[in-house]
Amino acid sequence: GIVLNLAEKRLYYFPEDGGEVRTYAISIGREGWETPLGSFHIVRKDKDPAWYPPESIRKEHAEQGDPLPAVVPAGPDNPLGQHALRLSVPGYLIHGTNKPWGLGMEVSHGCIRMYPENIAELFPKVPVKTPVTIVDQPYKVGWLGDELYLEVHLKDGEAPKPLREVVPSALAEAPGVSVDWGEVARAVSENTGLPRLVGGRKSTASGLYLDMIF
């Protein structure tokens, strides 16, 4: 199904056939209009959707001197773009956008925006009832071969976890795994959102620990 990680502003699609995982940049809800966390599913798919702005959004726009109509038809002025996946939580969608320069930011009223070409690729792959899990996980740890990498996506002002909680103990203490906690500390401090090499495991081919760039 689909997994959304708000912390890194990315969507992951895991195909049912176990094929290659696809990942896409997204925009999410801004402060006061946060995208909800939890387990949901797709209830409807709309091609060339019309947009019916809820009363709360129409009120906000009216107060800013930019009144909205009751319905915005499909077309280049529609903020939903050409594709929309409606979620089981009412009022929230995964959709395209007519403002692609806002991708990767917290700018929406809670919906998830995608580049038009990305949702056009995803749209036919996901049927109704596809599960959608929305999480907020600022630390991402993963293997590339025998090398262990860490990404950190902390928000401005967000306090980091204790270092020993950044890499799960079940992984850090696994037989044959070596973690350089100095590199973990640097990754947390720099908070770049880019993968950093922080460890490795015993090579099955040579029986030796891989050389790591520490």
Side-chain angles (χ1 to χ4, degrees):
I2 292 172
V3 176
L4 297 158
N5 187 3
L6 303 186
E8 61 175 330
K9 300 177 182 64
R10 294 204 72 85
L11 178 151
Y12 296 86
Y13 170 58
F14 297 81
E16 287 189 7
D17 62 5
E20 180 182 3
V21 177
R22 304 290 294 168
T23 179
Y24 307 98
I26 58 172
S27 288
I28 61 175
R30 65 178 188 262
E31 185 176 356
W33 297 86
E34 286 82 3
T35 302
L37 302 174
S39 298
F40 312 104
H41 61 274
I42 294 171
V43 295
R44 201 172 85 195
K45 300 171 57 174
D46 294 332
K47 179 73 168 66
D48 296 318
W51 181 42
Y52 297 84
E55 185 60 33
S56 57
I57 295 179
R58 294 185 67 192
K59 180 180 178 182
E60 180 188 67
H61 276 253
E63 291 172 349
Q64 296 172 353
D66 179 30
L68 291 173
V71 57
V72 179
D77 296 327
N78 191 311
L80 302 185
Q82 294 182 295
H83 302 84
L85 303 170
R86 298 185 181 271
L87 301 182
S88 53
V89 54
Y92 291 90
L93 301 82
I94 301 171
H95 62 79
T97 180
N98 63 344
K99 298 179 179 178
W101 54 87
L103 264 290
M105 302 170 65
E106 299 175 6
V107 293
S108 80
H109 288 90
C111 286
I112 297 98
R113 300 179 186 174
M114 298 178 64
Y115 283 114
E117 62 271 24
N118 288 347
I119 195 165
E121 176 184 299
L122 180 67
F123 189 84
K125 299 180 185 294
V126 292
V128 170
K129 298 185 180 180
T130 295
V132 178
T133 303
I134 304 179
V135 300
D136 186 7
Q137 298 181 359
Y139 305 102
K140 187 170 70 173
V141 183
W143 292 103
L144 179 62
D146 286 319
E147 295 178 332
L148 183 65
Y149 287 84
L150 168 68
E151 289 182 20
V152 181
H153 300 268
L154 293 169
K155 296 178 183 176
D156 290 342
E158 182 177 359
K161 283 183 177 181
L163 288 185
R164 295 283 169 168
E165 297 180 16
V166 172
V167 179
S169 58
L171 190 158
E173 298 169 10
V177 173
S178 176
V179 175
D180 186 304
W181 294 102
E183 287 299 299
V184 173
R186 290 187 186 93
V188 173
S189 175
E190 294 177 4
N191 189 31
T192 64
L194 300 174
R196 176 182 285 273
L197 181 62
V198 297
R201 59 187 168 194
K202 190 177 295 185
S203 169
T204 55
S206 66
L208 300 175
Y209 285 111
L210 295 177
D211 290 332
M212 293 179 286
I213 306 171
F214 295 151

